Amino acid sequence: MDSIIVKGGTPLKGKIRIAGAKNAALTLMPATLLSEEPLTLTNTPRLSDIKTMTLLLQSLGAEVSALHDGKVQVLSSHGLNSTTADYEIVRKMRASNLVLGPLLAREGHAVVSLPGGCAIGARPMDLHVTALEALGAEIELKDGYLHAVARGGLKGGTIDFRFASVGATENALMAATLAKGTTVINNAAREPEIVDLADCLRKMGAQIEGDGTTRIEVQGVDRLGGATHQVVTDRIELGTYMLAPVIAGGEVECIGGRLSLVESFVEKLHQAGVEVTETAEGLKVARNGDRPRAVDVTTEPFPGFPTDLQAQMMAMLCTAEGTSVLEEKIFENRFMHAPELVRMGASIEVHGGHATVHGVDRLKGAPVMATDLRASVSLILAGLAAEGETRVNRVYHLDRGYEHVEEKLGAVGAQIERVAGE
Ligand code: UD1
C-alpha cells in the first residue's frame, strides 16, 4: 500500500481548488436508479469511492461513463438487470447502502448486503430499515443481507427519526419520491449534501419541500426523468485545506469555498484567533505569526461542527496554545488518530467520547499509520508543521476521500510525496 511522506516546516502560499463533495456524489449517483432517463453529474470528485459506487451501479445493470477525466459522470438506468447489492462491493464502502431506497422504489424489491466502510463505530442500519418500513416495505435480515419487498409499491407515510442520520434521510427521501401519496420525514438530517440531493431530484421531477430543515415533505410522483446537476462543493475537503495554513503557517485561498458550508467550523477558527476572509473566488485563511489558541469542539449533526473535520481539527489543536477538549458525539470510536498524533509528540488523553489536547510548541515527524479516511489526512496535516519527516503508512483510505492530495498541497509549497507500496 502507498505511503505519503511529508517534510514539515514550510509555510504555505497559494490557491487550492476544492472538489465536488464525495458525500453528495455518493448519494446523487444512486439517484439514477429512480429513473429510466440519463442523469448527468458535473463537478464529481476523482476518488476511489466514486469508482466503487460506479462498480456497484454497473453490477445492477446501470450504465456509468466517466468523462472529462472523471469530473463528469453520465449515468443511465434504463435497463436494470439485478436488485442485489453484493457483499464484495458493499463491504468496501458504507454509502453502498444508498441503493436500497431507490431500488425498492423503482423495482419493488431489493437485496442489499450490510455495509462496511471506515472502522469508526458500529454504524447500524436500523434507521434506514424503520424509515422504509414506514413507507410500507417489509424488510428482513438473512445471511448478512437486508431483503426488502414493497408489495404493491411503496406508499407515503410519516417517518420519525430518533436521530438525524444522513444516510437514512437520503434513502428515505429517494424512496419517497416514487411512493404513492405524501411522505413526511421528521427529524431529518439537514446536511448540505441532502439539500443537493433534493435539488437534483427536483430537477428530475420530484416534489420535495423542506430540505435543509428538520421536516421534509415529499409528494410522490409516478415517474422521474433525466437531469443535469452540478455536485455541491466538498465542505470537508474545504475545511481540511483551510486548516493547512493554520498548522503550517502562511496563506491559502480555497477556491469554490463558501462560508455557508462551514459556518460552525469557521466560528471555531475565529475563536482560535485565525483569520478567514471571503474572496471573489472562495475563502482565504492566513496565519503569519502567533500560534492558534486552544478551543473546545463538540461534533454534532449539521449545522453543528462536523465529525468529519474532528481529526483534522485535533491535528491543529496539537500545537495550539492551551488545552482543548474535543467531544465526539456522532461516532463512538473516532479518536484512532490520537495515538498516532501522540507518536509525533502530541499530548492527548482520550476518555470515552472526550479527548483532551494539551498544545505543545512543535510536533516531531514519525512513521504513523492511517486508520480511517479523516484520520489519514489529519496525520498529513500534522506532518506539515512537524520537525523532520512524517511517513503516513497505509493511505488506502485517503484515496477514498481526497483527490490528488499530494498535488494540491504540493502546489501551495508543502514538501509532500507519495511512495508506491508493494
Ligand atoms: C454520513 C457521511 C459520513 C459522516 C456521517 C455523519 C456519507 C457517504 N457519509 O455517513 O462521512 O461522517 O454522515 O455526518 O454521506 N446510525 C444508527 N442507525 C442507522 C444509521 C446511523 O444508529 O440506521 C448512527 C451511526 O452509527 C452513527 C450516527 O447514526 O453513530 C451517524 O450516522 P449517519 O448520519 O447515518 O452517517 P452516514 O450516513 O453513515
Side-chain angles (χ1 to χ4, degrees):
M1 255 178 249
D2 292 0
S3 301
I4 299 253
I5 295 179
V6 189
K7 292 196 182 92
T10 323
L12 308 178
K13 182 149 185 61
K15 299 180 180 202
I16 297 178
R17 179 165 295 283
I18 306 302
K22 167 181 88 79
N23 287 351
L26 289 177
T27 186
L28 290 163
M29 290 175 75
T32 180
L33 299 170
L34 292 164
S35 171
E36 295 202 351
E37 288 171 38
L39 173 64
T40 301
L41 299 175
T42 62
N43 197 34
T44 46
R46 278 87 39 99
L47 302 170
S48 63
D49 269 8
I50 299 295
K51 291 193 183 131
T52 304
M53 184 54 85
T54 299
L55 286 177
L56 176 59
L57 294 172
Q58 286 170 335
S59 77
L60 303 171
E63 288 166 22
V64 185
S65 341
L67 310 175
H68 301 289
D69 189 29
K71 282 197 211 151
V72 173
Q73 304 277 338
V74 182
L75 306 106
S76 169
S77 299
H78 62 88
L80 295 183
N81 54 29
S82 165
T83 50
T84 299
D86 195 75
Y87 172 72
E88 279 312 313
I89 302 179
V90 178
R91 73 183 171 85
K92 295 187 184 154
M93 182 180 73
R94 177 174 167 86
S96 307
N97 62 20
L98 294 170
V99 300
L100 177 60
L103 278 178
L104 196 53
R106 163 107 171 255
E107 301 291 317
H109 54 92
V111 179
V112 175
S113 167
L114 285 180
C118 283
I120 55 176
R123 306 183 89 177
M125 285 280 291
D126 58 316
L127 297 169
H128 300 249
V129 169
T130 47
L132 296 170
E133 282 174 348
L135 304 186
E138 292 164 33
I139 304 181
E140 51 173 352
L141 178 62
K142 266 193 288 187
D143 309 323
Y145 283 79
L146 292 172
H147 293 251
V149 190
R151 291 176 217 288
L154 290 174
K155 291 176 193 68
T158 301
I159 298 165
D160 293 305
F161 282 125
R162 66 168 164 79
F163 176 84
S165 154
V166 174
T169 301
E170 291 166 345
N171 248 332
L173 178 59
M174 287 191 277
T177 59
L178 291 179
K180 277 191 197 73
T182 307
T183 296
V184 174
I185 307 174
N186 290 317
N187 197 20
R190 288 180 279 168
E191 272 66 3
E193 294 75 24
I194 287 169
V195 175
D196 203 39
L197 172 65
D199 280 342
C200 178
L201 292 169
R202 273 189 288 265
K203 287 180 197 161
M204 293 166 74
Q207 292 191 20
I208 303 167
E209 279 174 24
D211 45 295
T213 76
T214 53
R215 185 183 186 277
I216 303 180
E217 192 169 318
V218 186
Q219 299 290 341
V221 294
D222 290 340
R223 57 177 294 282
L224 293 179
T228 297
H229 181 78
Q230 179 178 336
V231 179
V232 67
T233 299
D234 195 317
R235 64 199 164 94
I236 305 303
E237 194 196 29
L238 172 63
T240 301
Y241 289 128
M242 285 172 75
L243 282 169
V246 183
I247 293 174
E251 187 180 285
V252 169
E253 186 176 358
C254 293
I255 307 300
R258 275 188 282 127
L259 269 184
S260 59
L261 293 172
V262 280
E263 264 169 15
S264 57
F265 167 72
V266 168
E267 200 182 303
K268 289 293 162 188
L269 289 188
H270 283 154
Q271 284 175 24
V274 175
E275 217 181 292
V276 178
T277 37
E278 274 185 285
T279 66
E281 287 187 294
L283 296 177
K284 192 189 277 182
V285 182
R287 182 173 75 79
N288 298 306
D290 293 347
R291 280 161 62 189
R293 292 190 291 271
V295 287
D296 294 340
V297 172
T298 300
T299 65
E300 272 163 320
F302 193 87
F305 191 98
T307 173
D308 286 352
L309 282 174
Q310 178 259 108
Q312 301 89 313
M313 193 70 175
M314 185 188 284
M316 187 276 268
L317 294 173
C318 286
T319 50
E321 213 148 343
T323 296
S324 314
V325 177
L326 290 125
E327 188 183 1
E328 174 55 60
K329 291 222 292 206
I330 310 293
F331 294 111
E332 68 271 28
N333 187 21
R334 211 175 197 186
F335 286 132
M336 287 178 296
H337 39 285
E340 300 301 312
L341 290 167
V342 168
R343 292 171 56 75
M344 298 175 71
S347 171
I348 307 169
E349 296 139 28
V350 175
H351 297 286
H354 293 79
T356 306
V357 183
H358 307 283
V360 295
D361 277 352
R362 192 109 206 238
L363 296 179
K364 290 203 171 58
V368 287
M369 190 69 85
T371 48
D372 66 64
L373 169 51
R374 308 301 171 186
S376 317
V377 85
S378 76
L379 299 171
I380 292 177
L381 288 181
L384 291 175
E387 212 174 288
E389 186 178 292
T390 299
R391 186 186 182 106
V392 185
N393 292 310
R394 255 179 118 245
V395 293
Y396 142 80
H397 278 291
L398 184 75
D399 299 328
R400 293 186 38 214
Y402 289 90
E403 60 171 37
H404 311 311
V405 72
E406 59 279 19
E407 284 162 36
K408 287 190 174 184
L409 283 173
V412 294
Q415 294 188 53
I416 179 167
E417 61 170 328
R418 179 181 287 258
V419 186
E422 307 80 60

